[in-house]
Amino acid sequence: MNILYHCTFSNQNDFLKLLKKKFKSHKILTLDDNIQFEKIEVALVWNLPDKILKKLKNLKIIFSLGAGVDHILNLSNYKKTPIIRIQDQNMRSRMLNHVLSQILNYQLKLNDYSKAQAKKIWLDERYTSLNKELTIGLLGLGYIGSFVANNLKVLGYNVIGYKNSVNKSNLSIPVYYKNSIKSFLKLSDIVVSILPATKQTKDFINKSFLKNMKKNCLLINIGRGSALSELDLLEHIKKNPNFFASLDVFKMEPLPKSHKFWKNQNIIITPHVAAITDVDSSINYIFNKFEQFKKKGKMKSDVIIKNGY
Ligand code: GLV
């Protein structure tokens, strides 16, 4: 089978090497090859150019090389080709580690000591909250969110969740729906957004959302930058000096040098690294799905296209 691979990860070549090994009885092609586009039936992509998608007239299935699928759904030439995204245990373990690092950094006031160290100041001891004294509110309870929620609970945190859709969840945490966002925010000492980029989530974390959060609070965004109104966050921090944010995703990536976030003392920036795509395990995941697809000659999308995730 002819398979197109296109990806903008920094380790795209390692990925390609392993893909070729795993799919050895198939042809893995890149845009550098002399491609007959109409022969491509499967595409494995991260940031495929729209003009290339347009040429893939016989495409039967698209694999996203990450957990997110906005890079596909946002293409104007995307029609209805089924999409399979990566659901990988290693990815959600990394996500959990990232969230935990940001919670502990805030909870143990580690930034205060870093700042003091830079000035050679021996700070007095400070009170820090125990896990059981903190409530973590998770926005988005999908494959990654539910795993993070369960594991934070095991560590003794109070964990609550918020979901837009009222479908049943098999989580053992209190879940808030739709209009109960205010009650959810009132309880949360730390809010973690794992929201995907959709029409509904665009600027969901805005002025009124932030106003409903506690004054002393940490916002962690590891979902998509489009869910946060960046200007509203800057305004909010100006008025609330004990409000902090740890951001891994941004409206524009890489974050432009001129962006006000860089110099804001209350914001920690990480460059979209909370969960990289694990080369080995994700290729195995894709290969297994591909084998199922090959057997039947078709496959149902594991993304609800109209919801955008
Ligand atoms: C990363 O953002 C991903 O969607 O995997």
Side-chain angles (χ1 to χ4, degrees):
M1 206 173 276
N2 285 330
I3 301 172
L4 174 67
Y5 163 78
H6 180 80
C7 163
T8 53
F9 298 156
S10 57
N11 60 350
Q12 53 180 278
N13 293 333
D14 298 336
F15 218 103
L16 178 61
K17 241 192 246 162
L18 254 150
L19 267 177
K20 285 192 168 167
K21 219 163 139 191
K22 188 85 186 173
F23 286 76
K24 51 183 178 299
S25 49
H26 300 276
K27 248 196 205 152
I28 300 277
L29 300 155
T30 72
L31 296 181
D32 292 335
D33 296 313
N34 189 10
I35 301 181
Q36 285 178 280
F37 288 101
E38 65 290 348
K39 288 208 168 147
I40 301 286
E41 287 176 82
V42 176
L44 316 179
V45 301
W46 187 261
N47 293 334
L48 181 73
D50 204 17
K51 61 175 195 290
I52 302 295
L53 182 62
K54 194 176 177 185
K55 296 186 191 174
L56 306 178
K57 304 276 187 227
N58 284 313
L59 192 60
K60 302 217 166 44
I61 191 147
I62 307 178
F63 286 86
S64 165
L65 295 173
V69 292
D70 43 310
H71 62 103
I72 300 168
L73 297 180
N74 289 341
L75 300 175
S76 67
N77 287 303
Y78 174 73
K79 297 291 179 297
K80 281 184 182 152
T81 312
I83 300 173
I84 303 296
R85 66 197 181 91
I86 289 176
Q87 295 194 320
D88 174 20
Q89 177 61 39
N90 288 352
M91 188 185 269
R92 59 184 189 175
S93 295
R94 287 203 167 90
M95 218 47 151
L96 172 66
N97 279 347
H98 183 87
V99 170
L100 201 52
S101 74
Q102 299 311 299
I103 291 175
L104 287 172
N105 187 45
Y106 172 73
Q107 180 180 354
L108 305 183
K109 303 182 182 352
L110 298 183
N111 269 354
D112 291 359
Y113 302 113
S114 300
K115 282 183 204 153
Q117 182 178 348
K119 294 182 189 158
K120 299 185 183 169
I121 295 172
W122 182 268
L123 279 189
D124 294 336
E125 271 182 48
R126 336 203 113 193
Y127 173 79
T128 58
S129 307
L130 292 166
N131 295 11
K132 66 180 180 188
E133 293 170 323
L134 289 175
T135 296
I136 319 284
L138 284 156
L139 286 174
L141 296 169
Y143 179 76
I144 292 171
S146 55
F147 178 79
V148 172
N150 285 337
N151 281 280
L152 291 178
K153 200 177 157 206
V154 169
L155 291 172
Y157 293 100
N158 302 298
V159 183
I160 58 175
Y162 175 83
K163 259 166 98 87
N164 201 21
S165 58
V166 191
N167 53 12
K168 64 175 183 329
S169 115
N170 53 3
L171 285 169
S172 58
I173 56 163
V175 178
Y176 292 75
Y177 294 99
K178 282 202 165 200
N179 301 334
S180 57
I181 187 78
K182 274 192 191 166
S183 319
F184 166 83
L185 293 176
K186 216 166 137 185
L187 287 173
S188 302
D189 298 295
I190 296 173
V191 171
V192 183
S193 170
I194 315 181
L195 293 174
T198 68
K199 275 190 203 118
Q200 286 74 28
T201 62
K202 187 167 184 304
D203 290 333
F204 185 69
I205 305 172
N206 57 17
K207 191 172 166 178
S208 80
F209 180 105
L210 294 165
K211 228 169 88 190
N212 285 315
M213 286 175 74
K214 292 188 181 186
K215 296 253 176 280
N216 293 12
C217 199
L218 170 68
L219 168 72
I220 300 175
N221 190 10
I222 51 166
R224 282 292 181 266
S226 60
L228 170 69
S229 163
E230 297 183 341
L231 287 178
D232 288 358
L233 175 66
L234 287 167
E235 278 306 302
H236 188 74
I237 289 175
K238 246 190 234 167
K239 292 184 205 134
N240 297 280
N242 291 319
F243 190 98
F244 295 87
S246 163
L247 309 174
D248 188 55
V249 285
F250 303 89
K251 288 229 191 293
M252 190 181 282
E253 296 178 8
L255 190 66
K257 289 235 185 301
S258 59
H259 202 290
K260 292 217 166 77
F261 281 172
W262 287 113
K263 284 196 171 160
N264 195 300
Q265 293 292 309
N266 291 32
I267 297 178
I268 289 180
I269 293 169
T270 50
H272 202 145
V273 289
I276 55 163
T277 297
D278 189 293
V279 179
D280 284 312
S281 55
S282 60
I283 289 179
N284 284 337
Y285 182 84
I286 292 171
F287 188 73
N288 288 339
K289 288 276 180 186
F290 171 79
E291 288 286 289
Q292 292 168 25
F293 160 76
K294 217 175 57 176
K295 239 186 237 163
K296 292 190 192 147
K298 58 180 182 191
M299 186 167 244
K300 241 179 96 185
S301 212
D302 71 1
V303 172
I304 303 173
I305 309 288
K306 72 172 171 25
N307 292 355
Y309 60 92

